[in-house]
Amino acid sequence: MRDSDDASEPASFFPELVEGPRDELDNFALSSQSARLFRTTYVLECFGRERRGANVNRRIEHWLQERNLEMFPAIADADFYGEVEIRRISESSVSADVTESEYVTSSSPVQAVSGVNSWVLSSLKDDAEELDFLEYGASVEDAINKMKDRGRSKLPVFFSGNDRSSLIGTVKLAELTFEKIEENSKLIEKTTTQVPVVGTNEKLFDWIHEILKNGFVYGKNDIGEVVQIYTTFDVARYMNTISEMFLRANEIEELLRSFLSRVRESDLRDAKRRFKDLTEIPIDDVGGKFFRRNEISPNGGQDSELRYVDSLMFGDYMKCIGDPKIWDEHFSETGIRGIDKERCLRSLNDARLARNTVMHFNRSDSFEKLIPSFESLAVWLRRVSDR
């Protein structure tokens, strides 16, 4: 849900990006610090944008690579109202001590960036989408007119519009117009004070149930300011996008499997063994033309070569995690209670089977029963990822 830029434009040429001062970014790049936190909005401002898009995302990644730096989470996945951590690749495995004084444009300390890259609540809306609101002292008529003009069914009420941490509650258009309001009625008397407020950097899927139950939640930034409202409409729009992509991908897979079912199994196995890499596949009749490396890489290879880990499939995950050397070095030494190899690998296999059922489904499948298999895998992966 980012504003779309021309994804075909070379990463080295962005004439429309008017860069801002990068003093803090450059100071960090030249310093001996191993990591530092920056506001997402500050990073975008440095590259001349208020919102994310394909061009500015690539430009930021290119800037990082030139300086042997990495960003976590990646700019495309970051909480717009939160922060990102920039760190040196050579020291990325070492947790950095990030203090308040190292935090750019912030007047209060923040928590270090989580070690798990996942969708966050702010993913539900486009960057910098305006939050409409009312102030204490507004009239009922003011509220009705503003909600109708802005197409809102509800609005937050702040004690002061200059202080977004002064949330009083919520007023709903339906409740104000359901019956005739007395002429001297006060808006504050129609305000609901028990409203859910959560961080915009919280994991999205932890709060979808709460949004569906309450109709909405408010999102606050790291200093407690309410910066956005997330509604059932936002969830529906977001899920519709995901489900449409899933259904289209599934249709393509069904068509491919239908065609390949006509091919002898021995020929399929031989082809899979013959080509270890996509660049080995001849794409013309005479066998003299092949894919170039940049053609099979994300973004045409403009950002970076495809990491090997990005080419792995679920069965490969099992082979890698089950490998005695990898397990001993990265899992058995974590010291986390309950991380038992057999239990972990069995949960990985259950998730693999569930994933295959989802991606190769038929209309009689019930997906709800598969969710616990994904969650059982996520439980221990979160624990080891947070170490």
Side-chain angles (χ1 to χ4, degrees):
M1 297 195 302
R2 311 295 178 216
D3 58 326
S4 58
D5 294 328
D6 182 5
S8 64
E9 188 175 10
S12 59
F13 182 61
F14 300 96
E16 81 286 3
L17 295 186
V18 180
E19 298 174 3
R22 294 186 194 159
D23 295 346
E24 299 297 340
L25 287 178
D26 289 335
N27 287 344
F28 167 71
L30 295 172
S31 73
S32 59
Q33 291 175 272
S34 58
R36 185 171 179 180
L37 292 177
F38 295 86
R39 283 199 177 283
T40 305
T41 50
Y42 172 78
V43 174
L44 292 171
E45 288 169 4
C46 288
F47 290 84
R49 285 296 176 90
E50 293 181 355
R51 301 172 59 157
R52 284 170 287 196
N55 283 348
V56 70
N57 291 351
R58 291 200 305 271
R59 184 66 174 268
I60 292 170
E61 290 299 320
H62 181 69
W63 184 89
L64 292 167
Q65 290 169 18
E66 284 188 331
R67 291 155 181 80
N68 200 34
L69 301 171
E70 64 181 354
M71 179 182 292
F72 192 89
I75 190 66
D77 302 319
D79 173 20
F80 179 75
Y81 304 100
E83 66 281 335
V84 293
E85 183 182 35
I86 297 180
R87 55 200 183 193
R88 305 192 187 284
I89 293 178
S90 59
E91 301 178 37
S92 61
S93 60
V94 180
S95 60
D97 294 326
V98 183
T99 64
E100 177 180 354
S101 61
E102 295 173 341
Y103 191 81
V104 177
T105 70
S106 174
S107 59
S108 64
V110 296
Q111 293 180 343
V113 178
S114 168
V116 179
N117 188 7
S118 59
W119 283 312
V120 292
L121 189 62
S122 62
S123 302
L124 283 179
K125 285 196 171 178
D126 292 336
D127 293 349
E129 185 170 331
E130 181 182 358
L131 174 67
D132 294 316
F133 62 89
L134 297 164
E135 291 184 275
Y136 175 72
S139 68
V140 172
E141 184 180 4
D142 290 338
I144 292 175
N145 289 337
K146 187 165 190 176
M147 281 189 271
K148 287 184 176 179
D149 289 344
R150 300 291 295 171
R152 309 300 187 192
S153 62
K154 60 183 73 66
L155 286 178
V157 180
F158 295 106
F159 183 78
S160 170
N162 296 324
D163 181 4
R164 298 295 183 88
S165 64
S166 63
L167 179 67
I168 298 173
T170 304
V171 291
K172 298 180 179 180
L173 181 61
E175 295 178 0
L176 296 181
T177 58
F178 180 72
E179 58 184 18
K180 185 176 177 59
I181 301 295
E182 296 179 7
E183 187 173 342
N184 60 349
S185 293
K186 296 181 178 180
L187 182 67
I188 196 65
E189 296 172 349
K190 305 298 179 181
T191 302
T192 301
T193 58
Q194 300 299 319
V195 295
V197 182
V198 301
T200 56
N201 63 343
E202 293 281 342
K203 294 175 183 175
L204 171 61
F205 290 105
D206 287 348
W207 290 99
I208 285 182
H209 175 74
E210 195 73 17
I211 295 173
L212 297 178
K213 183 176 71 173
N214 292 290
F216 70 101
V217 299
Y218 288 119
K220 63 179 179 179
N221 60 19
D222 59 283
I223 58 175
E225 297 173 328
V226 174
V227 291
Q228 197 51 267
I229 181 173
Y230 304 101
T231 67
T232 52
F233 174 79
D234 297 320
V235 172
R237 182 177 58 180
Y238 190 76
M239 291 303 177
N240 181 65
T241 301
I242 294 176
S243 61
E244 181 179 0
M245 293 172 63
F246 161 75
L247 291 172
R248 287 182 180 275
N250 208 18
E251 178 188 16
I252 294 299
E253 281 210 56
E254 284 186 340
L255 291 172
L256 288 169
R257 289 196 304 273
S258 176
F259 170 77
L260 291 176
S261 65
R262 310 170 195 170
V263 180
R264 288 191 298 272
E265 181 178 329
S266 59
D267 290 343
L268 293 175
R269 291 182 179 277
D270 288 343
K272 186 177 178 180
R273 283 193 295 265
R274 185 177 304 117
F275 305 119
K276 303 298 183 183
D277 191 287
L278 297 182
T279 58
E280 299 175 1
I281 303 173
I283 58 177
D284 62 344
D285 292 337
V286 297
K289 187 179 292 186
F290 303 85
F291 285 112
R292 295 189 303 273
R293 175 62 60 183
N294 66 336
E295 292 181 299
I296 62 173
S297 299
N299 296 321
Q302 294 174 12
D303 287 339
S304 63
E305 293 294 331
L306 179 68
R307 299 179 304 169
Y308 180 71
V309 68
D310 293 326
S311 68
L312 299 180
M313 295 181 290
F314 227 101
D316 298 323
Y317 302 152
M318 294 181 63
K319 297 173 186 177
C320 293
I321 293 178
D323 178 81
K325 184 176 186 293
I326 293 177
W327 179 267
D328 289 343
E329 290 184 4
H330 299 278
F331 295 94
S332 65
E333 296 180 358
T334 59
I336 301 176
R337 185 176 61 182
I339 301 301
D340 170 76
K341 184 174 184 179
E342 180 179 352
R343 185 180 291 112
C344 290
L345 286 177
R346 288 191 182 280
S347 71
L348 188 58
N349 187 53
D350 287 341
R352 180 186 66 83
L353 295 173
R355 180 264 179 199
N356 289 344
T357 300
V358 169
M359 294 307 298
H360 304 156
F361 81 109
N362 60 59
R363 290 166 181 77
S364 64
D365 287 327
S366 175
F367 291 159
E368 289 185 1
K369 67 181 182 180
L370 303 176
I371 293 176
S373 293
F374 292 124
E375 184 60 24
S376 63
L377 175 61
V379 164
W380 69 269
L381 284 178
R382 292 186 192 118
R383 295 177 69 186
V384 298
S385 297
D386 283 336
R387 296 290 288 188

